Amino acid sequence: MTDSCLSAKLQNTGKCREHNSVLALIQSQDVSDWIDNKLKGHDVIYYVGASDEFVEGTWEWAFSGEPVTISNWAPGHETDKDDDCLAIYNKDPNVNGTWYDVKCTLQYNFICQQSASVPVVG
């Protein structure tokens, strides 16, 4: 997956670029936990930078091309055939942000990440 593929689907990537950042890559449990803590109690959906656009069910981080190796999928939501983008939804305040396979064209919030820093929720 390349920056341009995901950018064509997610207009929010332009907002990340305005801040010299990209959609967040959650490549460690520490980063996942940090994001979950920031989102806890917010009933909002956020895009992050992963997609299964090329091979359904095979998730990779769009800006690095690396496979997604950790996850927090909501039961039954790891793969939906017409949906290709990963979003985090913290619907239940008692559960950390769960991951969903969603359409890339929906108007959700997003989480950007600057190089060598913790992601920024926007």
Side-chain angles (χ1 to χ4, degrees), residues 34-110:
W34 187 90
I35 290 172
D36 288 345
N37 286 330
K38 291 295 181 187
L39 301 183
K40 195 165 190 130
H42 298 277
D43 187 14
V44 179
I45 300 172
Y46 293 90
Y47 281 119
V48 293
S51 176
D52 70 345
E53 179 177 23
F54 294 113
V55 178
E56 189 63 36
T58 301
W59 289 89
E60 58 183 40
W61 297 109
F63 300 100
S64 70
E66 295 178 28
V68 172
T69 56
I70 66 163
S71 67
N72 190 25
W73 292 107
H77 289 278
E78 184 171 348
T79 183
D80 291 320
K81 81 174 195 169
D82 294 326
D83 300 340
D84 293 322
C85 286
L86 192 153
I88 298 174
Y89 186 21
N90 209 4
K91 184 176 183 177
D92 182 344
N94 299 313
V95 178
N96 285 340
T98 49
W99 296 12
Y100 291 83
D101 185 2
V102 299
K103 293 190 183 323
C104 300
T105 55
L106 300 174
Q107 294 299 311
Y108 293 142
N109 291 319
F110 52 93

Side-chain angles (χ1 to χ4, degrees), residues 106-120:
L106 300 174
Q107 294 299 311
Y108 293 142
N109 291 319
F110 52 93
I111 301 173
C112 298
Q113 173 180 326
Q114 291 182 332
S115 162
S117 70
V118 177
V120 175

